[in-house]
Amino acid sequence: MIPAGFEYHRPTDVASAVAILGRHGDEARVLAGGHSLIPMMKLRMAAPAHLVDLRGIAELGRIEIGDDAVVIGAMVAQHDLIAHEGLAQALPIIREAALQIADPQVRSMGTIGGNLANGDPGNDMPGLMQCLDARFALVGPGGEREVAAREFYESAYFTAREDDEILTRVIVPRPPAGAGWAYEKIKRKIGDYATAAAAVMLGEGFASVAMTNLADTPVWCEAAGRALAAGDVEGCVAAMLEAIDPAEDNRGPVAFKKHAAAAALRRAIARAQARRA
Amino acid sequence: MTDQTMTPEERAASLEGMGCRRKRVEDVRFTQGKGNYVDDVKLPGMLFGAFVRSPYAHARVKSIDAEAAKALPGVVAVLTAADLAPLGLHWMPTLAGDKQMVLADGKVLFQGQEVAFVVAEDRYLAADAVELVEVEYEELPVVTDPFKALEPDAPVLREDIKDQKEGAHGPRRHHNHIFTWEQGDRDATEKVLAEADVTVEEMIHYHRTHPCPLETCGCVASMDKATGKLTVWGTFQAPHAIRTVVSLISGIAEHNIRIISPDIGGGFGNKVGAYPGYVCSVVASIVTGRPVKWIENRMENLMSTAFARDYWMKGRIAATKDGRITGLWCHVTADHGGFDACADPTKFPAGFFNICTGSYDIPTAYLCVDGVYTNKAPGGVAYRCSFRVTEAAYFIERMVELLAIELNMDAAELRRINFIRKEQFPYASALGWEYDSGDYHTAWDKALKAVDYEGLRREQARRIEDFKAGRTRKLLGIGLSHFTEIVGAGPVKNCDILGLGMFDSCEIRIHPTGSAIARLGTISQGQGHATTFAQILASELGIPASDITVEEGDTDTAPYGLGTYGSRSTPVAGAATAMAARKIRAKAQMIAAWLLEVHDDDLEWDVDRFVVKGAPERFKTMKEIAFAAYNQAIPGLEPGLEAVSYYDPPNMTYPFGAYVCVMEIDVDTGEWKVRQFYALDDCGTRINPMIIEGQVHGGLTEALAIAMGQEIAYDEMGNVKTGTLMDFFIPTAWETPNYVTDHTVTPSPHHPIGAKGVGESPNVGGVPAFSNAVHDAFRAFGLRQAHMPHDHWRIWRIAENLGLHG
Ligand SMILES: Cc1cc2nc3c(=O)[nH]c(=O)nc-3n(C[C@H](O)[C@H](O)[C@H](O)COP(=O)(O)OP(=O)(O)OC[C@H]3O[C@@H](n4cnc5c(N)ncnc54)[C@H](O)[C@@H]3O)c2cc1C
């Protein structure tokens, strides 16, 4: 459980971080909270020669609550997502989801940017951000571009981010007033990734539904959202069950996961409906 | 208040002796981070060792190329079996009479097996060098199923003994067969089964799991070439036995070996055995002349050192139609992995599994255990239980539940009518034990009353109605368990480990000012010996517990003992403590008599002093006597006040308890929640109720883990699927229910203070309570047996198989 040797860099602005990444190509990896990357390094499943720590870059640690959108810096820790009152007002579903990630120790280190950039289908934030139709700001040698969360995930650990790009901000549109919301996660124990998790937003004539750890990417299902918008809960569940593609692992066989997925989704819908103003 | 004005009760209370909720003296250090664990041992010039391990479960080792590793600056040596062979140390004896490879000798038998030992200047370099050792393997067919291992054409695992027809425990009938162990009366049991009104037959699996202590195994070996003395600090639950074993296998004279167990961060059986890491560290220290440290990481701990359980128990139980159990038959297929490294007393290859008649008066019984080799890690330790007792308790507590289903009887009532009655003790069981004492009916009735058992059953009936009517998706399970433990191994006449009798010891020295030090042959790993043994002494000697130091774990200073596991410390070393204290008190009485100028017999003991009978104002306190022992020339008495006792217990002790678990279960997701848990323990005389409660809380939490998800699982290729704490379930505070503890007190008649031991009872009784709760929730829908662990998907599968998902 000892990682291979590496060079450690701690730039203080995004441009220098991007420059270091550019210099070392795929030898370099960004280090955020380290709670996905360092375990991989300890298992020697990852052995980057250069680690570029983003913790010295102050601008990545901000949360801005705008009228139309909330902007969250990539280095905001999951703990800070929970603690931020303004964010809890604007998007309470983020607090509900963040509280279900790992445990307090992990949450005080792990960041939203790391959780989103990691590309692990077990991470909770990607599905949530797809549900919320967030956009990710990526900064690379050629400047900044934005990618929709719903376009970002290609397969397990593969995303639209280039090796020399840094995810800097997450732009989350504010849902319409009175929308109902819920993040429901079924897991084996505290500190576990989801057996099945569901993010649900719904309101007058709209609904958005995404699920986590039931395919090699998060699953945002347009048809499920459409059915739910029309008030058809079972249609929503059926559409989602079509869209997911879980794999057997220690959490259980495929049939169980589908059953648990349906249960998680129904719970999330029920809670979101109850919360709708 | 002075000595003169205090009542005897006040004086007794001020001693903080037996029965006192004395705070743990260890915790001042532990909670301040001032513990001293093996990884805290840092010696000048110390090197660090790390293993190259096999990625395969069964393979031939074609070649090992360590050149690149040796070329890495800072790497001092790379040991392989070829280097150990000239010393005869490439294999080592196991506690079970088998032998085990220290480093792969031509082949590997389980994933994670030790192949080479890299020694480097620090642990980082050692980890890098491990990556550079090139091993060429040729994969062999893997067998992880003990039943398949016994098929005629199963791959030969142990080529070294494939033609050996006789094993350490009798004949071997197949190349992967280790032993057959039989107890009881086969013919009589078959007859009872054939003639019974009712019989039930079922296969019950107690899955493989692991003790997984917070601190993993490790050691620091330091050979001082100038003095010829070898010192080994390590996570040893039995330091003296380790010293003898090291001497026997290394040839180093025993007086030149010093074994030190510093603070140990939990053992639970994981730290009883001898591991390749110890041997390699010792050899590396001898070869390099420098101290060598080896510490397992978590994955290595889960994969390679000492698993527990893995018993397939086929049971048959016979009863009359009104529920009197008349016979019990059991056949166990015991999966021991690649080497038989079980930690059991030598004559008991399946431990004390023959306690499997449990708390019941079963006149006729038969047990047969077959040990089998598979491509899994060796071990088979008593994980927070006496040897194989939790398997036995689980077996009988499932069989009784199954019988209740068959008879359509209430499971609590069925138990009650079959309990051994109070007046039957000492009770000779059909499988050969003599239970010392018990009062099961009183405990059972108290437990059922405390939880309002009838009310719970009514609630459960309503819940079933609601479920059937579609008003809820949650079922309610009421898990019962009445267990009998067998601990305190044990009488030297039948209990030994590698020929060492399982007595234990205590040596006490009273200092001139009346304080004391006691040293024992046991070693605490969290049990709080420094607290509780001082309490025994306080009550026996009238010296405040706070004036007594308890020291264990250094073989140069402590008297010889067999260590701490199997709840043996209190039954054996605790008895030795009381007996040594009584020797001191006898001498103290003579000193007091001389000081008071009366005859010994004219004195009586009063809490902390000897008093002249009929003249209460004339007395000598223990403190005064202690001083006199060092400054008076007493005719016919040697100076000083010391004693040592080696205690060979006349019998085991038999703690018991009654547990009730109430569990809510979601049939769609398999999620569960323990709503209530009531644990009544009878461990005889209670030394420190607070420590007992702590032990019960901890043991129940481990039982919860095992029943509800904790498992060492292998795939078909022999890969460990649960090698990290992401998949190996350790409950956090969140999953841990609130426990209500209770007790009755039935002292052991043969133990000097009547104490029976408690550390493991909650695991033994807890596993069946949790598992029975799951089973009970589905009883109304036709469930008979569903194997543990009851993790979410397996509970879901129960409901699915019963058609509860519509
Ligand atoms: C015991 C445990 C339990 C866990 N349980 C959960 C859980 O239930 N749910 C869950 O969602 N997560 C869970 N996690 C993961 C945790 O939330 C991680 O913190 C998170 O996945 C990664 O965030 P990080 O800041 O730690 O990123 P790091 O580990 O530092 O980085 C992760 C990856 O993302 C890249 N990266 C990080 N930041 C950026 C950036 N700004 N731009 C570009 N690339 C970047 C890194 O190079 C790396 O490849 C768990 C972790 C542990 C250790």
Side-chain angles (χ1 to χ4, degrees):
Chain A
M1 300 281 226
I2 292 176
F6 54 85
E7 283 293 321
Y8 177 79
H9 307 263
R10 194 181 172 101
T12 50
D13 58 70
V14 174
S16 340
V18 170
I20 301 168
L21 284 182
R23 213 157 42 238
H24 299 291
D26 59 8
E27 295 261 278
R29 285 283 278 277
V30 163
L31 176 71
H35 271 54
S36 287
L37 182 54
I38 291 184
M40 300 282 269
M41 289 170 60
K42 285 182 165 184
L43 295 170
R44 298 204 174 206
M45 285 156 72
H50 296 269
L51 277 188
V52 186
D53 189 345
L54 301 184
R55 267 174 298 187
I57 307 177
E59 67 182 88
L60 297 182
R62 291 190 207 117
I63 299 177
E64 289 157 36
I65 313 292
D67 291 339
D68 301 326
V70 164
V71 180
I72 306 172
M75 289 301 290
V76 171
Q78 290 145 15
H79 168 80
D80 300 321
L81 296 174
I82 296 165
H84 197 282
E85 281 309 323
L87 186 60
Q89 291 286 323
L91 281 159
I93 192 172
I94 293 181
R95 177 184 277 183
E96 180 159 285
L99 274 169
Q100 295 181 68
I101 293 176
D103 52 46
Q105 289 93 325
V106 172
R107 295 198 294 258
S108 62
M109 290 300 290
T111 65
I112 187 167
N115 200 297
L116 292 170
N118 194 32
D120 181 339
N123 282 135
D124 286 289
M125 287 295 160
L128 174 64
M129 291 303 154
Q130 291 196 341
C131 172
L132 292 170
D133 199 13
R135 300 181 69 74
F136 303 154
L138 301 171
V139 175
E144 184 178 292
R145 65 180 177 125
E146 280 187 19
V147 180
R150 292 174 188 171
E151 310 279 310
F152 189 71
Y153 297 95
E154 293 165 356
S155 63
Y157 300 103
F158 285 93
T159 67
R161 186 182 70 84
E162 300 294 336
D163 279 346
D164 54 3
E165 284 182 313
I166 290 174
L167 193 163
T168 52
R169 289 171 302 136
V170 185
I171 302 121
V172 192
R174 295 185 67 156
W181 50 276
Y183 192 81
E184 171 73 25
K185 178 172 173 180
I186 293 175
K187 58 186 172 190
R188 295 172 297 181
K189 58 176 179 183
I190 286 297
D192 194 16
Y193 293 92
T195 301
V200 171
M201 295 293 304
L202 51 80
E204 195 50 49
F206 92 97
S208 175
V209 181
M211 294 200 77
T212 291
N213 220 11
L214 293 162
D216 67 350
T217 62
V219 179
W220 175 74
C221 175
E222 198 171 0
R226 231 182 294 119
L228 187 58
D232 176 7
V233 173
E234 285 314 306
C236 167
V237 172
M240 184 54 96
L241 289 181
E242 278 295 308
I244 61 175
D245 183 18
E248 172 163 357
D249 59 20
N250 284 336
R251 294 181 183 82
V254 170
F256 164 67
K257 288 197 170 176
K258 289 191 168 169
H259 207 110
L265 183 52
R266 286 197 190 96
R267 285 181 196 168
I269 292 170
R271 200 155 69 235
Q273 283 172 335
R275 280 166 172 163
R276 214 182 130 180
Chain B
M1 233 175 340
T2 69
D3 228 30
Q4 314 299 324
T5 60
M6 277 160 83
T7 65
E9 292 72 30
E10 286 165 346
R11 279 189 278 122
S14 74
L15 298 176
E16 296 191 295
M18 285 199 287
C20 171
R21 300 179 71 89
R22 182 175 187 228
K23 290 223 173 84
R24 284 167 41 104
V25 295
E26 296 88 343
D27 290 345
V28 177
R29 286 190 304 117
F30 292 158
T31 55
Q32 295 182 7
K34 298 276 168 59
N36 179 39
Y37 298 89
V38 63
D39 207 9
D40 295 321
V41 174
K42 294 190 174 79
L43 302 177
M46 189 171 77
L47 300 169
F48 203 92
F51 279 112
V52 176
R53 292 178 182 276
S54 170
Y56 300 110
H58 196 195
R60 218 167 283 295
V61 178
K62 307 273 282 185
S63 67
I64 302 174
D65 179 356
E67 289 317 309
K70 285 182 183 159
L72 189 71
V75 173
V76 177
V78 179
L79 300 179
T80 63
D83 302 303
L84 300 183
L87 306 167
L89 290 176
H90 54 321
W91 289 73
M92 61 178 184
T94 69
L95 296 181
D98 193 2
K99 55 183 179 152
Q100 174 179 354
M101 287 180 217
V102 173
L103 291 172
D105 183 19
K107 73 184 291 194
V108 288
L109 287 165
F110 64 93
Q111 188 184 50
Q113 187 177 329
E114 301 79 0
V115 174
F117 190 66
V118 174
V119 185
E121 293 288 343
D122 66 44
R123 66 209 313 169
Y124 302 93
L125 285 169
D128 288 344
V130 162
E131 300 282 300
L132 296 176
V133 176
E134 301 254 357
V135 185
E136 196 191 332
Y137 297 95
E138 177 192 315
E139 285 184 72
L140 295 169
V142 171
V143 54
T144 56
D145 175 333
F147 297 98
K148 291 197 180 131
L150 289 180
E151 284 171 6
D153 55 351
V156 177
L157 304 192
R158 290 290 298 278
E159 283 156 62
D160 58 307
I161 53 167
K162 73 170 188 296
D163 299 321
Q164 203 172 298
K165 298 280 174 256
E166 195 70 20
H169 307 286
R172 298 173 64 221
R173 59 178 159 78
H174 180 278
H175 52 260
N176 293 329
H177 178 249
I178 310 172
F179 64 83
T180 299
W181 190 60
E182 283 182 286
Q183 296 288 302
D185 189 334
R186 180 184 190 148
D187 294 340
T189 308
E190 298 282 2
K191 187 162 181 293
V192 166
L193 280 156
E195 293 168 2
D197 295 349
V198 181
T199 61
V200 181
E201 178 173 322
E202 193 59 72
M203 174 65 92
I204 292 162
H205 184 212
Y206 197 142
H207 59 289
R208 182 176 276 239
T209 181
H210 194 282
C212 193
L214 191 55
E215 176 202 32
T216 57
C217 298
C219 71
V220 177
S222 179
M223 183 65 179
D224 183 330
K225 291 222 165 150
T227 61
K229 185 142 185 167
L230 171 71
T231 307
V232 188
W233 290 258
T235 49
F236 307 126
Q237 286 181 240
H240 285 94
I242 291 279
R243 185 184 71 192
T244 304
V245 170
V246 170
S247 175
L248 290 175
I249 67 177
S250 70
I252 301 170
E254 199 166 355
H255 70 284
N256 275 333
I257 302 171
R258 180 180 182 189
I259 303 291
I260 300 173
S261 294
D263 287 326
I264 298 183
F268 312 114
N270 184 221
K271 295 167 180 171
V272 173
Y275 295 122
Y278 305 159
V279 178
C280 289
S281 303
V282 168
V283 172
S285 179
I286 293 171
V287 169
T288 62
R290 293 166 66 179
V292 176
K293 178 185 278 188
W294 165 73
I295 306 282
E296 280 180 323
N297 69 34
R298 179 61 60 196
M299 290 179 74
E300 293 179 301
N301 179 251
L302 289 172
M303 280 172 79
S304 67
T305 48
F307 78 93
R309 327 294 193 233
D310 217 348
Y311 262 30
W312 290 91
M313 306 175 287
K314 178 86 169 279
R316 290 155 74 196
I317 193 165
T320 61
K321 55 182 174 311
D322 51 0
R324 282 286 323 179
I325 303 173
T326 52
L328 181 71
W329 180 100
C330 178
H331 179 270
V332 181
T333 302
D335 185 338
H336 284 224
F339 306 95
D340 185 12
C342 285
D344 293 314
T346 307
K347 296 185 191 73
F348 296 87
F352 303 155
F353 188 86
N354 53 332
I355 192 75
C356 67
T357 51
S359 309
Y360 310 103
D361 182 12
I362 303 180
T364 313
Y366 170 69
L367 164 68
C368 176
V369 183
D370 277 305
V372 183
Y373 291 122
T374 61
N375 288 120
K376 300 186 196 169
V381 295
Y383 168 9
R384 205 165 184 151
C385 67
S386 193
F387 313 98
R388 301 291 188 184
V389 175
T390 146
E391 289 93 326
Y394 184 63
F395 169 74
I396 185 65
E397 288 303 287
R398 283 301 309 141
M399 289 308 292
V400 168
E401 292 277 320
L402 287 158
L403 182 62
I405 293 172
E406 188 69 29
L407 292 163
N408 196 21
M409 262 180 88
D410 177 76
E413 183 55 23
L414 179 62
R415 284 181 174 83
R416 184 188 283 110
I417 62 178
N418 284 290
F419 282 143
I420 300 162
R421 293 183 315 280
K422 191 173 156 186
E423 62 277 12
Q424 287 177 281
F425 292 93
Y427 172 82
S429 80
L431 293 177
W433 295 115
E434 187 183 294
Y435 292 28
D436 60 348
S437 63
D439 182 355
Y440 300 163
H441 287 94
T442 301
W444 195 237
D445 291 342
K446 188 173 181 184
L448 297 186
K449 188 153 179 273
V451 299
D452 182 18
Y453 181 66
E454 299 299 325
L456 284 172
R457 286 290 174 208
R458 284 193 296 275
E459 182 186 349
Q460 186 184 44
R462 283 195 302 276
R463 182 70 68 87
I464 291 166
E465 288 310 308
D466 286 347
F467 181 83
K468 287 181 175 161
R471 288 188 293 268
T472 180
R473 296 295 288 164
K474 283 195 181 148
L475 294 174
L476 188 69
I478 303 166
L480 304 175
S481 149
H482 190 289
F483 65 93
T484 297
E485 256 265 65
I486 169 169
V487 307
V492 173
K493 64 177 187 292
N494 59 359
C495 289
D496 70 274
I497 286 185
L498 293 176
L500 303 166
M502 295 181 74
F503 59 84
D504 226 290
S505 60
C506 176
E507 180 200 273
I508 305 168
R509 296 182 184 177
I510 312 291
H511 306 315
T513 53
S515 63
I517 182 164
R519 295 192 172 101
L520 295 96
T522 45
I523 174 71
S524 187
Q525 309 124 38
Q527 293 89 341
H529 289 177
T531 308
T532 50
F533 286 130
Q535 290 182 257
I536 297 176
L537 289 168
S539 290
E540 292 284 341
L541 292 174
I543 296 174
S546 56
D547 288 355
I548 302 167
T549 298
V550 173
E551 214 181 75
E552 302 173 303
D554 182 341
T555 58
D556 265 10
T557 55
Y560 206 99
L562 266 277
T564 295
Y565 43 85
S567 287
R568 63 186 301 282
S569 298
T570 297
V572 192
T577 304
M579 299 309 268
R582 287 172 195 181
K583 289 185 189 174
I584 286 188
R585 215 161 84 186
K587 183 171 179 184
Q589 185 165 1
M590 292 188 246
I591 297 171
W594 187 80
L595 292 172
L596 291 161
E597 296 177 16
V598 295
H599 191 273
D600 294 0
D601 295 342
D602 294 331
L603 294 175
E604 61 189 0
W605 176 251
D606 173 32
V607 182
D608 56 353
R609 62 196 58 185
F610 280 102
V611 181
V612 178
K613 286 178 189 163
E617 71 291 352
R618 295 190 61 208
F619 61 82
K620 287 290 167 193
T621 65
M622 201 62 191
K623 212 176 162 80
E624 293 169 308
I625 295 167
F627 199 69
Y630 290 89
N631 84 338
Q632 301 277 328
I634 305 175
L637 273 186
E638 288 179 10
L641 199 51
E642 302 187 2
V644 57
S645 168
Y646 286 80
Y647 187 79
D648 177 11
N651 189 4
M652 312 279 185
T653 61
Y654 298 76
F656 62 94
Y659 292 175
V660 183
C661 170
V662 184
M663 197 185 285
E664 298 271 357
I665 289 173
D666 185 314
V667 297
D668 290 317
T669 61
E671 291 164 294
W672 47 266
K673 188 169 171 46
V674 176
R675 188 177 89 182
Q676 184 181 359
F677 199 103
Y678 170 90
L680 179 151
D681 274 281
D682 191 321
C683 57
T685 303
R686 292 158 61 83
I687 299 166
N688 182 329
M690 183 200 72
I691 288 205
I692 292 173
E693 286 158 21
Q695 291 287 314
V696 172
H697 288 187
L700 286 175
T701 304
E702 282 179 326
L704 171 88
I706 294 167
M708 305 310 291
Q710 186 178 86
E711 158 185 42
I712 297 290
Y714 290 83
D715 68 13
E716 297 261 295
M717 301 296 293
N719 298 307
V720 180
K721 288 162 63 183
T722 52
T724 76
L725 297 189
M726 185 57 82
D727 289 308
F728 185 86
F729 177 38
I730 300 278
T732 66
W734 191 268
E735 289 84 18
T736 304
N738 184 42
Y739 303 115
V740 173
T741 55
D742 203 348
H743 61 275
T744 54
V745 177
T746 313
S748 169
H750 62 76
H751 187 279
I753 58 170
K756 287 186 168 184
V758 75
E760 302 169 327
S761 292
N763 202 325
V764 171
V767 172
F770 290 113
S771 179
N772 282 344
V774 174
H775 284 91
D776 182 71
F778 294 100
R779 176 175 166 172
F781 302 92
L783 177 65
R784 283 171 53 90
Q785 178 63 23
H787 296 317
M788 294 190 291
H790 305 299
D791 50 2
H792 291 169
W793 80 265
R794 288 182 175 96
I795 291 180
W796 167 85
R797 186 176 58 180
I798 296 172
E800 179 76 7
N801 290 342
L802 295 173
L804 301 184
H805 293 142

